[in-house]
Amino acid sequence: MSNNLTMFEKIWQKHIVAEPKDQPEILYIDLHLVHEVTSPQAFESLRLNNRKVRRPELTIATVDHNITTDDTRTEVIKDEIARKQVETIRENCKSNDITLFDVWDKEQGIVHVIGPEQGYTQPGMTIVCGDSHTSTHGAFGALAFGIGTSEVEHVLATQTLRQRKPKTMKVEFKGTLSKGVTAKDMVLKLIGQIGTAGGTGYVMEYTGEAIRNLNMEGRMTICNMSIEGGARAGMIAPDQTTFEWMNGRNKVPKGSEWDKAILEWEKLRTDKDAKFDSYVEVDCDDLEPFVSWGTNPSQVLPVSAKIPSPEDFEISLDSQSCANALEYMGLKPGTRIEDIHLDRVFIGSCTNARITDLRNAAKIIEGKKVNSNVRAQVMPGSTLTKIQAEKEGLDEIFKSSGFEWRESGCSMCLGMNPDIIAPGERCASTSNRNFEGRQGKGGRTHLVSPEMAAAAAIEGHFVDVRNW
Amino acid sequence: MEKFIEHTGLVAPLDRVNVDTDQIIPKQFLKRIERTGFGKFAFYDWRYLEDGVPNPEFILNDPKFNGASILVTGPNFGSGSSREHAPWALSEYGFKVIISTSFADIFRNNCMQNGIVTVVLSSKEMDKLMTNAMRIPNYKLSVNLETQSLSDNLDFSAEFEFDPFRKDSILKGLDDIGITLQHEEEISKYESKN
Ligand code: SF4
């Protein structure tokens, strides 16, 4: 093997099953994650075509999008169509011998939280799921990306996927973060810089001092939002931080196998002379906490800034997009971000609901009370995360501050279950998408870090958490 | 998958950038377990007012564009969620061709899987098409996948690029799985080695 390959290229090459002439490569898939929303039509079509799931043991499923996060969750779902969808995944997993982490299992959780948590996600793997935030798993040095339902069916039937080789982009985060500034702010700044289509056609590799200094949860936050910059996948080379985080988890190799695995994983790192197709640099030295003000994740600003005006944009499409966003968001140009008042706070989702996210938010609110105009909620990323947080007493901190402490699931990240915000309500959210209607029709979403969301819950408006 | 070789149809303009899949088909309609039944919910939040009455301001509700089968729209169309429900909804609504200056990756892949032809043109060509679609009544385009070209019967014509493998599948209406399973032996060989 030549010694000028990127990590992406090493993983890609190792997984090529066939390269038929003039056709996309056939790539082997090591792990296929499945959830209730994007899989039923795939299983149905398999059945109609008399095909079987090729490698059920490489497939794991959970329910996360539709389920409720209150204490009725193990009961029959009231919404008839949602109930049918959840029942369908149960039947499909049963009849195809696929492991399902159901609503009453402690391993249940948001699909991109439970994969790493249980050690299914490992460096060097190819991982897919019918879900665009599959990019999360790239934090471990895996090639992980979202696919559509027809492709889900393709993977179920063949354990492979047809893909043209994407281009590579190196994203270097330089410098060190100041206190109160997080991985979320790094990735929001990046998306603000390159735009929501800046990464289209690329796999990103995140590098640099600021990345090396992040813990695994922070790295997952960054890789999670790769798709928000248009990239299907984002990756970070595995290192000591990765191995320490993984060690001892349920599905990782044990004993001498573990030592052998580490030696292999260390070889994944991008070679010194490897070339990327594109390069982007993000300076983190003076990075402030970021807040989104618009209706796509590139419409972001540092907390000290003011809401822009459509005239601030040179390109007419951006200016139009700003005008549409301000109208939808009910914001006036020139308003200070810190003067934006909130009705709701949501700490949750596959971006920012892991244990360290909850710990960091709890530190901010400890001993304080949620502002009386705000309804604040925490939905842990997985049931195991919830159990761990309760062991540490975080639930008590949240509850005594006035936060609702709920069960795990996607919940208000996309509001497919009953957790939605009302038209016109404004929500500080730790999730990844601020699209129109994402958290409920007419709802207004501001994307922030857990620390920023927590502080905003207390004050009732955004504040610079660095001064907290 | 239905074959697509050539299609002539009415053009509807949706002059917006970054139309994400949450707009194309909002989440409350993702609970169905079938591939059908999504067309009536396409662009739901833009298309209908609070009480379910069609929003007269939304361009696709303009009777002029009734029966449109070709959509021209702004850059980065289909960004966001990977939901294939988006192409299912567009297809059932009646769109066979979508023309833009750029598409989000997963969305474009999903369209390919469903025989929807996504055409990428230059911004200059797009501007012209957008203007024509808004100004000229009953504006129609003919799109030919075989020759990778499109034209109206006035003075507009253009050519576009298309992945040869995808082109072949769509022209013949083939699904990927069948083609991949021709490589069953290689898959098994890979599995026994790893
Ligand atoms: S938490 Fe949100 S972004 Fe993550 S998988 Fe669930 S719905 Fe998708």
Side-chain angles (χ1 to χ4, degrees), chain A residues 28 79 150 164 437-438, chain B residues 27 31 34 84 163 180 191:
Chain A
Y28 203 78
D79 175 344
S150 296
R164 295 245 183 235
R438 172 81 179 180
Chain B
K27 61 340 190 52
K31 296 172 189 166
E34 301 84 14
E84 197 163 318
D163 183 297
T180 297
E191 285 174 331

Side-chain angles (χ1 to χ4, degrees), chain A residues 14 24 28 41 54 79 85 148-150 154 162 164 196 201 232 320 414 416 433 436-438 440, chain B residues 15 18 22-23 27 30-32 34 46 76 80-81 84 105 109-110 163 165 180 184 188 190-191:
Chain A
K14 187 169 175 283
Y28 203 78
Q41 294 87 353
R54 185 179 179 95
D79 175 344
Q85 201 166 57
T149 298
S150 296
H154 192 284
R162 289 198 166 256
R164 295 245 183 235
T196 52
R232 286 183 78 179
Q320 176 206 337
L414 92 166
M416 270 188 83
R433 286 189 174 138
E436 286 184 25
R438 172 81 179 180
Chain B
D15 192 10
N18 297 321
D22 273 81
Q23 301 317 319
K27 61 340 190 52
L30 304 184
K31 296 172 189 166
R32 302 175 61 80
E34 301 84 14
W46 289 342
N76 199 24
S81 152
E84 197 163 318
D105 278 341
N109 263 343
N110 285 339
D163 183 297
F165 173 71
T180 297
E184 149 71 28
S188 297
Y190 181 95
E191 285 174 331

Side-chain angles (χ1 to χ4, degrees), chain A residues 156-169:
Chain A
L156 289 173
T158 70
Q159 201 59 35
T160 70
L161 203 59
R162 289 198 166 256
Q163 290 285 304
R164 295 245 183 235
K165 192 172 169 186
K167 291 178 286 184
T168 53
M169 183 186 286

